[in-house]
Amino acid sequence: MAKYRNELPQLSGDFFITTGGVGTSLIFDEHIELPCFASFTVLKDEAGCQWMVNYLSTFASVAQKYNVGLILETATWRAHPECLRKLAYSEEDAVNVNHKSVELLCGIRDKYETEQCPIVISASVGPRGDGYTPSAIMSPEQAKNYHATQIGVLSQTKTDMIAGLTLNYPEEAIGIAQAAKEVDMPITISFTVEKDGKLPTGQSLKEAIYLVDEATDKAPLYYMVDCAHPSNIVHTFLADEDWVERIHGIKGNASKKSHAELDECTELDSGDPLEFGADNQELLCKMKHLNIFGGCCGTNYRHVEEICKSCIPVFHQLEHNKRRYTV
């Protein structure tokens, strides 16, 4: 039985962290080839499973150290039908890899969770195409039908929620949200943006969120922005606009480079963890309702720990101010 599916603790507004860039860590740090950028391929043997547990446990240690919540993310971002077919996975393999990804996280939760450090298991669902460049754009109905297979499998596991990550056009986000809604799964949506703060389609984040909310009757519990450096998106958010308050999380890249520049990189750009923490703090000061912070490409536990150092004191001060002004 899923532990938090009916009452996700991050909805309380408490401070939560997420994991970092598992794919880039595997490729650049471990020198493991990932066909289709599919991190789940390392789960095919015991050594790969142990690496994944060790990697994710570093974030659990950080969460424990700072007494904050943690959203553990499965390695299922690419475990959808088309990618699985390209990698010659059978239907049975597809079910097994999605289940195994969740089971590994349950083991980490059993070891690290405390009353001050609740650990949520989030099943990642990624885009059908490239995360940086939308190619064949599906209609919402096509997207729902396509992603329903994986989401249906994940709904039968102990995962607490579904997270549509690195989505680059609203129609696919709508389909994912609708597919999750049909099997009563909590769903969050995370869009990726370019350095100008717009989706790769050229649409604004504001437009994308409005379109998804309108089409799904606000099915996503909240939105996030991922795969972009915090300093590249801070200019996007204007205070006092209602759509901004739908965004509760940021999963930033370590690098300030554009998606096109990152695609050409032959070495990992891990940026500056200290600066990364400070830039997330700047976002928090501007968007005071943010409570979920983590990393994407090029990040590891060091980046997330710097977020904790920079943001937690500010977060608590903001919470104190809210209580003071509402009394």
Side-chain angles (χ1 to χ4, degrees):
M1 181 183 295
K3 185 171 185 178
Y4 294 120
R5 191 175 294 183
N6 296 320
E7 193 173 357
L8 293 172
Q10 68 268 37
L11 298 183
S12 69
D14 290 343
F15 195 94
F16 272 73
I17 59 172
T18 75
T19 52
V22 60
T24 48
S25 292
L26 282 165
I27 293 171
F28 292 102
D29 294 336
E30 304 300 325
H31 307 290
I32 294 174
E33 185 178 348
L34 291 183
C36 300
F37 205 63
S39 300
F40 68 80
T41 57
V42 304
L43 304 182
K44 62 182 179 294
D45 56 41
E46 190 58 38
C49 289
Q50 190 59 55
W51 182 92
M52 188 67 69
V53 169
N54 292 342
Y55 173 81
L56 295 175
S57 294
T58 61
F59 298 93
S61 294
V62 171
Q64 256 196 5
K65 179 179 179 180
Y66 291 91
N67 286 321
V68 296
L70 170 65
I71 300 175
L72 277 179
E73 297 164 332
T74 62
T76 55
W77 184 71
R78 280 296 192 206
H80 53 70
E82 194 165 287
C83 182
L84 290 162
R85 281 196 297 270
K86 288 179 180 178
L87 298 177
Y89 277 64
S90 67
E91 289 186 14
E92 183 180 359
D93 292 334
V95 172
N96 290 339
V97 75
N98 278 283
H99 277 254
K100 182 180 285 187
S101 294
V102 174
E103 289 167 5
L104 288 177
L105 272 56
C106 288
I108 297 171
R109 175 160 67 186
D110 289 344
K111 182 177 180 180
Y112 287 92
E113 186 173 54
T114 67
E115 186 175 347
Q116 294 75 33
C117 174
I119 298 178
V120 176
I121 295 175
S122 175
S124 304
V125 174
R128 181 175 184 174
D130 186 87
Y132 289 167
T133 308
S135 48
I137 292 181
M138 296 180 286
S139 68
E141 186 68 20
Q142 289 171 328
K144 182 181 78 170
N145 293 336
Y146 178 78
H147 288 289
T149 300
Q150 182 187 13
I151 290 172
V153 169
L154 290 166
S155 72
Q156 300 304 308
T157 70
K158 292 182 179 180
T159 190
D160 296 307
M161 57 180 283
I162 302 290
L165 298 177
T166 328
L167 303 178
N168 49 40
Y169 65 98
E171 290 87 350
E172 187 164 26
I174 291 169
I176 289 173
Q178 290 174 336
K181 191 174 181 179
E182 284 196 354
V183 290
D184 296 321
M185 285 297 299
I187 176 72
T188 64
I189 293 294
S190 187
F191 286 112
T192 186
V193 295
E194 300 292 347
K195 292 181 74 171
D196 62 1
K198 294 182 179 180
L199 275 62
T201 56
Q203 292 166 291
S204 69
L205 196 55
K206 175 181 180 178
E207 179 186 359
I209 289 174
Y210 275 145
L211 286 171
V212 176
D213 274 351
E214 182 178 11
T216 65
D217 194 24
K218 292 190 174 181
L221 296 174
Y222 55 83
Y223 290 86
M224 296 181 66
V225 180
D226 67 344
C227 213
H229 193 275
S231 67
N232 291 340
I233 59 176
V234 67
H235 63 279
T236 303
F237 307 112
L238 300 175
D240 302 324
E241 291 196 337
D242 57 353
W243 69 273
V244 176
E245 295 190 359
R246 292 284 280 138
I247 301 172
H248 283 259
I250 303 290
K251 283 173 55 67
N253 281 350
S255 173
K256 296 182 180 181
K257 293 178 179 176
S258 69
H259 291 155
E261 291 170 328
L262 287 173
D263 263 344
E264 299 299 320
C265 285
T266 56
E267 296 182 358
L268 181 65
D269 181 359
S270 58
D272 180 347
L274 283 169
E275 186 180 24
F276 186 76
D279 286 335
N280 274 279
Q281 183 194 84
E282 183 180 356
L283 266 177
L284 174 59
C285 290
K286 189 168 186 178
M287 301 172 65
K288 298 176 175 58
H289 52 280
L290 290 178
N291 70 305
I292 302 166
F293 294 87
C296 199
C297 297
T299 64
N300 57 30
Y301 77 93
R302 295 181 300 120
H303 297 79
V304 175
E305 181 158 18
E306 291 303 329
I307 288 175
C308 290
K309 292 177 182 177
S310 295
C311 293
I312 290 175
V314 173
F315 182 84
H316 288 324
Q317 184 60 49
L318 291 172
E319 289 298 295
H320 172 75
N321 290 344
K322 287 178 189 175
R323 289 194 296 270
R324 187 177 67 182
Y325 292 137
T326 54
V327 171

